[in-house]
Amino acid sequence: MSPVRRVPLWRGPAAAVLGGVLAAVLGTGLHAQVLYAGDTAVPLGAAGALILSCAVAVFAGVWAVSVLWTAAAGLVTYVILGLFTLDLWDTPLIITDTVLEVQPGIVLAGRIWLFGQALVTIAAVFLTARVLAASRRLDAEGPSLSGGHDHRQRCGGPCVPCPEKNRK
């Protein structure tokens, strides 16, 4: 049986907070990129922002080795997005047709970014669970896959190239 992987306790909260803030701020800037094909708005920025948010949340959970921190990163992102929809500044940073007279493309991008975040968080939790399960399964199989020795114990991680394999 493989030993339990220990990670520093600060990794989970740091990953969730920093990842959530990063995804919210960068994604909000990205979601505003709307491509117009004639009169039709194509909110490519909102789709890109959701992909970015999913990637950041999965990274947070994998880095902290816990699905819990993936969900926490998504929650932090969603709370910040909720603040961005409020009229705390001159105008909200995410427009969802609750203020001002706006263009339909901008409203569509705001709605996709805001409401899609909940779905992306759920998807990120499932992705992280699969990645961590596969990692645990490989760890449980032990040194047979690594050429006869345990890379983590002797080399401190995956070795490329492994010094013990190259000895003759």
Side-chain angles (χ1 to χ4, degrees):
M1 182 186 226
S2 66
V4 176
R5 283 184 278 179
R6 303 265 184 220
V7 295
L9 291 177
W10 58 267
R11 266 196 195 178
V17 172
L18 293 176
V21 170
L22 179 77
V25 171
L26 294 179
T28 297
L30 184 59
H31 100 280
Q33 306 304 312
V34 179
L35 175 70
Y36 286 93
D39 289 337
T40 305
V42 182
L44 291 178
L50 291 173
I51 292 169
L52 171 75
S53 178
C54 185
V56 168
V58 169
F59 175 77
V62 170
W63 189 53
V65 194
S66 174
V67 176
L68 171 71
W69 297 113
T70 297
L75 179 66
V76 169
T77 302
Y78 201 76
V79 167
I80 293 172
L81 293 186
L83 292 173
F84 285 170
T85 61
L86 299 176
D87 197 4
L88 300 176
W89 301 273
D90 256 352
T91 59
L93 296 175
I94 301 172
I95 298 174
T96 58
D97 199 22
T98 56
V99 296
L100 305 174
E101 286 187 31
V102 294
Q103 298 175 354
I106 295 171
V107 171
L108 179 62
R111 287 181 177 174
I112 289 172
W113 175 221
L114 181 64
F115 301 121
Q117 178 58 39
L119 298 175
V120 163
T121 299
I122 294 168
V125 165
F126 285 122
L127 281 170
T128 304
R130 289 188 57 107
V131 167
L132 292 177
S135 176
R136 287 184 189 110
R137 193 169 41 252
L138 284 175
D139 284 348
E141 289 177 6
S144 63
L145 294 176
S146 61
H149 69 279
D150 187 358
H151 288 279
R152 285 190 171 91
Q153 288 180 356
R154 294 193 183 181
C155 305
C159 302
V160 179
C162 182
E164 290 191 18
K165 271 187 149 176
N166 294 331
R167 287 189 193 158
K168 293 186 180 185

